[in-house]
């Protein structure tokens, strides 16, 4: 069954997926946690994809056509938005990764989250974090810059949890890389 959010559709080849937001085990602890949108397990490759879907449209602000704002003020607003976006992606990535580590450690709340999952992962499972952005602008330089900053901030966690793939990419690039994204 396809999942559509932020004008991005995920159509996995099987039913080995779930959403943390629908999981009672997650809901019980969610006050302090942020979750990524969908978790899909590719059993063939023993890979867990943890996916965040965002609709950022483009890098234009309505204030850019308002003469009451200077170009410097616009750039400061854009920088603030970018920093917020990076921190949001980082928090979701760290929190969701920690939830799966709790599952692997067999902790009480991890076990409650595991009950929502149609699959079981192991310490050998490869984990890949994908933040897919619906980005209307043809120029994806902005997303590339966000990816670089996100990777820099998440890198220590990735090393700690042995996560080799953690990306922020525009929808058009994601659809080229994965047949189950449209």
């Amino acid at each position: 069954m396809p999942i559509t959010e932020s004008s991005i559709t995920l159509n996995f080849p099987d039913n080995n997926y779930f959403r943390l937001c629908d999981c009672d085990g997650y809901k019980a602890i969610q006050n302090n946690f942020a979750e990524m949108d969908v978790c899909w397990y590719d059993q063939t490759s023993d890979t867990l994809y943890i996916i965040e879907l965002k609709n950022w449209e483009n890098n234009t602000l309505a204030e850019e056509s308002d003469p009451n704002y200077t170009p410097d003020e616009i750039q400061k607003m854009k920088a603030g938005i970018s920093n917020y976006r990076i921190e949001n992606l980082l928090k979701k990535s760290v929190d969701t990764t920690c939830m799966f580590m709790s599952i692997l450690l067999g902790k009480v709340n991890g076990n409650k989250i595991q009950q929502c999952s149609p699959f079981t992962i192991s310490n050998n499972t490869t984990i890949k974090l994908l933040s897919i952005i619906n980005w209307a602008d043809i120029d994806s330089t902005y997303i590339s810059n966000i990816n670089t900053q996100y990777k820099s901030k998440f890198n220590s966690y990735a090393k700690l949890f042995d996560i080799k793939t953690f990306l922020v990419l525009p929808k058009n690039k994601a659809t080229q890389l994965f047949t189950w994204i449209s």
Side-chain angles (χ1 to χ4, degrees):
M1 180 162 123
I3 296 171
T4 300
E5 186 174 314
S6 299
S7 299
I8 302 166
T9 300
L10 305 175
N11 194 10
F12 301 116
D14 55 37
N15 291 324
N16 276 340
Y17 67 89
F18 77 106
R19 298 180 65 129
L20 284 162
C21 67
D22 296 333
C23 178
D24 288 338
Y26 169 71
K27 290 176 186 177
I29 62 168
Q30 78 180 36
N31 291 339
N32 296 313
F33 287 100
E35 94 288 349
M36 293 179 74
D37 293 314
V38 182
C39 308
W40 175 59
Y41 177 64
D42 181 352
Q43 191 169 358
T44 305
S45 64
D46 192 20
T47 301
L48 173 63
Y49 290 89
I50 305 175
I51 305 161
E52 177 65 15
L53 305 171
K54 292 286 190 189
N55 187 7
W56 291 349
E57 296 178 2
N58 59 41
N59 200 24
T60 304
L61 298 177
E63 291 83 358
E64 289 181 272
S65 60
D66 187 335
N68 294 318
Y69 293 98
T70 67
D72 286 344
E73 290 172 320
I74 298 294
Q75 289 308 323
K76 188 174 181 178
M77 283 189 265
K78 284 185 173 186
I81 291 168
S82 296
N83 287 335
Y84 169 80
R85 288 172 170 174
I86 293 163
E87 292 304 317
N88 179 265
L89 293 175
L90 181 65
K91 176 155 180 54
K92 286 174 173 262
S93 297
V94 170
D95 288 0
T96 303
T97 300
C98 287
M99 285 183 251
F100 275 96
M101 293 308 136
S102 179
I103 290 169
L104 287 172
L105 291 170
K107 300 300 180 182
V108 172
N109 286 303
N111 290 337
K112 290 177 183 176
I113 294 169
Q114 176 63 54
Q115 291 172 4
C116 299
S117 172
F119 55 81
T120 302
I121 61 170
S122 73
N123 286 326
N124 295 324
T125 300
T126 300
I127 297 175
K128 296 185 178 188
L129 302 178
L130 303 176
S131 295
I132 303 166
I133 312 301
N134 186 23
W135 185 250
D137 200 327
I138 294 170
D139 182 4
S140 61
T141 303
Y142 176 77
I143 301 296
S144 177
N145 290 336
I146 294 287
N147 181 50
T148 300
Q149 292 175 54
Y150 162 79
K151 288 183 84 161
S152 174
K153 290 180 181 245
F154 189 73
N155 192 46
S156 295
Y157 299 100
K159 286 180 182 177
L160 183 65
F161 297 126
D162 195 28
I163 298 172
K164 307 254 188 296
T165 302
F166 48 106
L167 299 169
V168 178
L169 61 162
K171 175 184 171 181
N172 64 345
K173 180 70 172 174
T175 59
Q176 294 169 9
L177 295 173
F178 303 98
T179 57
W180 39 267
I181 300 174
S182 60

